[in-house]
Amino acid sequence: MKYSRAYFVELVAKLRERYHLDEGCEFFLRLGLVFQDLFENYRYLYGDKSNWEYLLDKLCGLLVEKYQKREDFLKKIDREREKKPAWFFEKNMVGYVMYVDRWAGNVKGILRHKDYLREMGISFVHLMPCFAVPEGENDGGYAVKDYGSLKEGLGSIEDLKRVALDLKKEGIFLMLDMVVNHTSSEHLWAKKAKEGDLFYQNFYYMFPDRVVPDEFEKTMPEIFPETSPGNFTYVPEIRAWVMTVFHHYQWDLNYNNPYVLYEMVGIILDLANLGADILRLDAIPYLWKRLGTACQNEPEVHRLVQIFKACVSVVAPGVLFVAEAIVQPKEILKYFGEGENVGKECDLTYNASFMVCLWDALATRKVRLLTRTLLGQPHLPPMVSWLNYLRCHDDIGLGFDDEDVRAVGYTPREHRRFLVDFYLGHFPGSWAKGLPFMANPKNGDVRISGSLASLAGLEKALEEGNEEEKKLAIERVLLLYKILLSFRGVPLLYYGDEIGMLNDYSYREKKEEVNDSRWVHRPFMDWQKAKKRHDGESVEGRIFQSLVSLLEKRKNLEVLWPHVSQSIIDSGNEHVFAFVRSSSQDMLLVIANFSDKTQIVSGHLLEKIGMEKPIKDVISEREIPVSDGVMILEPYACWWLKEVS
Ligand code: GLC
Ligand code: GLC
């Protein structure tokens, strides 16, 4: 069966009759725009099933049902956003991530701290997964057992809806997690599967013996080798091996089964209907499994994401997708959609390459890998963007492209070893206090946990009572913020970092956290400490006030907003990172010294980009002299340079 206009016309007629929808209504107009792609992708994935057309029809019916349930005020917002597809990127967007319980107690509590968000000028909040999970271990919310209710103690779905609405009135959008790759082993589907229900057993990957699992294991890496080695878990109730790529209690969904897709699309649309503006598609590279591969980034994953996106663009076109694809730089890019598919997958993707290269530059004091990696990132069209960040709830994985690492003169293995040693504080002269995460003796991999401030040296400096080191640590934090807030894309701040919260070792006393060092950087928000933010002498105040001032400046500098173009340039000094943001009206040059020594940059840099002297640093409001043809940067200095008008 091939796509034809007649097929679509017939489908519309059927749906119209079934759901009493007016033919010309926006729903069908939108469906008409995406249907051919939807059809082709669906057929590609499920065309071998004898009833695939019936199932596609059913999926379209689901879209109508969810559309009919969508509240009018959300539909109104959708229409406004449809008229301006780059609505999100043509503004000064800044996000803030929080665990609801750790930051505000419960969802309503978020509103009590609205002023705090307002003080920073936050434009969207990412609530870490807040749906129902089993007691005890649940991977920080990523083992969802029910999307129809919230985690114990957080409140009701109605509360969440109200909070979404209230935040929206404040101009703050809502980002929610959609855990698409797996469910908790306590999810209703998993429970039914354990009871022997074949329909639900087909929702997961289950094998009666080790034959197939062993084949898979030959090529699949391990995500949590310390706590959940291997990719399969034996389930005694049904005497089967279930695929569990993450933890043993997170069962991977089987997207070969079109009913899984159907259910997951339904949940995505329910989250959209709650009032979410952005959905974070968790662990997206893992959605499709194929024997003989790493089971990551398979081409079918992109087909699935395109289907999700098509469905959302029919029912809730105002909703954006964020890809959480912490993979190789080349693979990350594909989640924007490739070629003519740009805009048909995710609107934002975590810029993990940028993040890890910033940490690389801080440790090596050299910007070669950072510059090279970023030069490899293509220019993005204005309706998609990077989500830039320094820290998040996860570890830092050293996911560089080995080719880049070699090209800048390092040996990949040794270089990773160095970075781990450095951030765990073992390397002579290191200031960092990170922790190892998931060391894998089989391949030598180690990832790094730790809060922004602790990795940047603040914890060690405070312990040692070393004022000079404390000052440097704060400068490192601010250097990173200055780059984050001027780099092209949408910046996402991680809660607690704004007041320099340190590692929190209390997880070691908690049974369900002790084996997962990521909890060291998932503290309870310290509101007492936050009060010190108004004291400009305190550490909290120094970081917070500088950050707020940067955020203020960014708000007033359109040239720094996500849609404005950027080029990475060679500063001529291996310790100094440089890039230009430029629009038809304005130009801004960012120069950042990653070393703890004074550095010199040639004034020719200005000529090269067509910037005329005199110039000033917008951050300090100070004119920057170019004497004897050079500019002199203090240790960790970062300037946002503009022509003095
Ligand atoms: C994502 C989350 C991470 C979680 C994993 C499994 O990568 O960010 O915290 O452990 O998915 O859901
Ligand atoms: C791996 C996964 C990523 C996840 C992380 C959690 O890096 O690729 O999706 O967030 O593990 O530690």
Side-chain angles (χ1 to χ4, degrees):
M1 176 71 206
K2 275 183 98 81
Y3 171 79
S4 69
R5 190 73 203 159
Y7 181 97
F8 179 65
V9 170
E10 201 185 307
L11 175 74
V12 170
K14 268 190 282 185
L15 292 173
R16 246 183 78 198
E17 200 184 301
R18 208 182 309 154
Y19 295 99
H20 312 291
L21 267 177
D22 174 7
E23 184 172 3
C25 84
E26 65 185 1
F27 178 89
F28 289 118
L29 290 176
R30 291 175 185 157
L31 186 62
L33 289 176
V34 300
F35 190 73
Q36 187 169 355
D37 282 344
L38 180 62
F39 179 96
E40 300 292 358
N41 285 323
Y42 200 90
R43 189 179 57 153
Y44 182 89
L45 295 176
Y46 305 114
D48 60 338
K49 316 266 182 275
S50 59
N51 60 346
W52 75 272
E53 282 173 58
Y54 158 78
L55 291 171
L56 175 59
D57 192 309
K58 188 170 147 79
L59 182 69
C60 294
L62 178 73
L63 302 187
V64 182
E65 285 163 27
K66 300 297 178 187
Y67 172 78
Q68 288 180 326
K69 287 205 181 107
R70 190 159 175 83
E71 303 214 31
D72 285 336
F73 80 94
L74 292 175
K75 287 184 177 165
K76 203 166 139 234
I77 296 175
D78 288 333
R79 286 173 207 130
E80 286 159 14
R81 293 180 183 171
E82 266 181 314
K83 279 189 229 136
K84 286 188 73 177
W87 66 274
F88 192 77
F89 305 109
E90 288 171 354
K91 287 196 183 136
N92 166 48
M93 288 293 167
V94 180
Y96 185 83
V97 191
M98 65 174 77
Y99 283 95
V100 177
D101 50 353
R102 292 177 175 233
W103 195 80
N106 55 34
V107 284
K108 283 194 201 150
I110 298 171
L111 299 176
R112 279 197 295 279
H113 294 294
K114 246 179 359 196
D115 288 348
Y116 188 77
L117 298 173
R118 216 183 278 139
E119 236 178 289
M120 288 184 280
I122 296 302
S123 35
F124 68 100
V125 286
H126 171 205
L127 309 186
M128 292 299 295
C130 44
F131 293 91
V133 285
E135 288 271 325
E137 282 190 313
N138 54 51
D139 194 18
Y142 285 105
V144 180
K145 71 169 188 191
D146 176 23
Y147 271 104
S149 57
L150 299 191
K151 190 175 155 193
E152 270 293 291
L154 293 190
S156 66
I157 289 280
E158 284 308 310
D159 292 340
L160 180 58
K161 272 180 145 173
R162 215 159 310 128
V163 169
L165 180 60
D166 273 19
L167 288 175
K168 231 174 249 121
K169 283 188 193 147
E170 293 278 324
I172 299 178
F173 304 121
L174 179 66
M175 167 160 153
L176 292 179
D177 261 283
M178 173 65 202
V179 190
V180 267
N181 178 67
H182 43 262
T183 71
S184 151
S185 53
E186 297 300 306
H187 191 283
L188 186 67
W189 305 335
K191 282 190 180 159
K192 292 211 163 159
K194 278 186 269 188
E195 285 161 11
D197 185 326
L198 281 178
F199 181 75
Y200 288 103
Q201 288 187 356
N202 277 329
F203 270 45
Y204 302 97
Y205 293 91
M206 303 200 161
F207 304 96
D209 52 40
R210 287 289 316 184
V211 178
V212 180
D214 284 346
E215 270 311 300
F216 269 116
E217 292 291 13
K218 286 184 187 158
T219 50
M220 285 175 91
E222 294 171 292
I223 307 298
F224 297 133
E226 281 181 13
T227 48
S228 278
N231 289 285
F232 294 85
T233 300
Y234 186 68
V235 179
E237 289 96 321
I238 43 172
R239 299 198 189 149
W241 289 91
V242 176
M243 188 184 281
T244 53
V245 169
F246 290 87
H247 292 98
H248 61 86
Y249 50 81
Q250 287 163 307
W251 289 17
D252 285 66
L253 287 163
N254 177 3
Y255 279 91
N256 282 299
N257 177 351
Y259 288 98
V260 168
L261 175 79
Y262 178 88
E263 291 296 336
M264 295 313 271
V265 166
I267 296 172
I268 288 177
L269 297 174
D270 287 344
L271 297 190
N273 283 351
L274 280 179
D277 301 280
I278 312 167
L279 295 178
R280 173 189 183 275
L281 303 181
D282 179 66
I284 195 85
Y286 300 84
L287 291 196
W288 198 268
K289 320 297 200 262
R290 170 172 283 120
L291 271 173
T293 72
C295 297
Q296 291 180 26
N297 310 308
E298 287 298 304
E300 287 83 355
V301 171
H302 295 282
R303 302 271 182 170
L304 283 169
V305 181
Q306 285 170 31
I307 293 178
F308 292 151
K309 183 69 177 173
C311 293
V312 163
S313 64
V314 174
V315 177
V319 173
L320 304 180
F321 279 168
V322 172
E324 193 247 348
I326 313 302
V327 288
Q328 294 284 302
K330 277 198 280 300
E331 294 294 336
I332 296 183
L333 280 172
K334 297 185 186 162
Y335 290 87
F336 287 118
E338 284 183 283
E340 60 186 26
N341 287 328
V342 174
K344 293 184 185 170
E345 290 194 23
C346 292
D347 307 278
L348 292 137
T349 74
Y350 279 85
N351 202 346
S353 318
F354 175 53
M355 179 277 295
V356 66
C357 287
L358 286 173
W359 289 105
D360 177 90
L362 211 54
T364 59
R365 297 153 166 91
K366 298 197 176 86
V367 302
R368 291 185 302 204
L369 189 53
L370 175 66
T371 303
R372 182 176 166 101
T373 303
L374 295 175
L375 281 172
Q377 291 185 339
H379 186 81
L380 298 175
M383 73 286 189
V384 299
S385 180
W386 291 110
L387 193 59
N388 294 321
Y389 64 114
L390 303 172
R391 288 299 293 117
C392 70
H393 68 288
D394 277 331
D395 49 290
I396 302 176
L398 305 176
F400 311 108
D401 187 326
D402 284 354
E403 232 172 84
D404 289 337
V405 177
R406 281 191 210 99
V408 299
Y410 306 125
T411 314
R413 223 183 144 82
E414 279 166 26
H415 190 60
R416 288 197 175 85
R417 188 70 250 166
F418 158 74
L419 288 172
V420 168
D421 279 350
F422 189 90
Y423 282 110
L424 301 193
H426 303 328
F427 195 83
S430 161
W431 57 70
K433 286 209 73 169
L435 293 179
F437 178 66
M438 297 293 156
N440 188 342
K442 288 179 220 156
N443 56 13
D445 276 359
V446 188
R447 283 122 77 184
I448 299 157
S449 289
S451 75
L452 172 64
S454 292
L455 292 176
L458 187 60
E459 187 174 333
K460 189 154 184 270
L462 291 174
E463 261 171 23
E464 293 172 355
N466 187 333
E467 282 302 313
E468 183 51 25
E469 274 301 318
K470 182 166 116 185
K471 184 170 152 273
L472 289 174
I474 294 175
E475 280 169 8
R476 284 182 209 114
V477 168
L478 296 178
L479 167 70
L480 294 178
Y481 274 136
K482 287 171 194 168
I483 298 174
L484 177 77
L485 296 180
S486 53
F487 200 77
R488 188 177 178 205
V490 175
L492 183 59
L493 311 176
Y494 186 65
Y495 81 107
D497 287 349
E498 72 278 13
I499 50 167
M501 282 190 70
L502 305 177
N503 283 350
D504 171 7
Y505 298 96
S506 65
Y507 79 99
R508 290 177 172 158
E509 271 101 67
K510 295 180 198 145
K511 195 166 90 254
E512 63 274 18
E513 296 174 9
V514 64
N515 294 318
D516 187 337
S517 69
R518 290 177 299 173
W519 289 101
V520 86
H521 53 252
R522 298 171 179 177
F524 278 85
M525 180 68 179
D526 188 340
W527 289 105
Q528 285 309 319
K529 214 168 139 64
K531 279 191 189 147
K532 293 200 217 144
R533 70 189 183 277
H534 299 303
D535 167 8
E537 296 296 305
S538 67
V539 171
E540 294 80 1
R542 275 153 77 186
I543 297 179
F544 188 86
Q545 291 178 14
S546 305
L547 175 62
V548 167
S549 147
L550 291 171
L551 288 163
E552 276 285 330
K553 294 192 194 273
R554 176 186 155 98
K555 194 171 9 172
N556 299 319
L557 279 170
E558 227 182 293
V559 72
L560 294 186
W561 296 2
H563 68 297
V564 177
S565 69
Q566 164 175 293
S567 13
I568 308 290
I569 52 176
D570 180 0
S571 72
N573 177 327
E574 65 170 357
H575 304 287
V576 179
F577 180 51
F579 58 92
V580 192
R581 302 295 305 274
S582 55
S583 67
S584 51
Q585 293 98 28
D586 208 357
M587 185 190 327
L588 189 138
L589 169 64
V590 179
I591 303 190
N593 177 4
F594 272 86
S595 91
D596 48 2
K597 308 252 168 7
T598 300
Q599 296 296 332
I600 287 174
V601 173
S602 159
H604 287 314
L605 200 59
L606 302 176
E607 283 154 38
K608 216 160 78 183
I609 61 165
M611 192 175 255
E612 300 211 351
K613 289 178 286 208
I615 47 166
K616 69 164 187 192
D617 167 27
V618 186
I619 299 175
S620 60
E621 299 289 354
R622 203 163 54 89
E623 193 170 312
I624 301 295
V626 186
S627 34
D628 297 332
V630 296
M631 298 179 277
I632 300 173
L633 283 120
E634 297 295 308
Y636 300 127
C638 176
W639 298 326
W640 291 357
L641 295 179
K642 280 186 64 156
E643 290 175 358
V644 174
S645 43

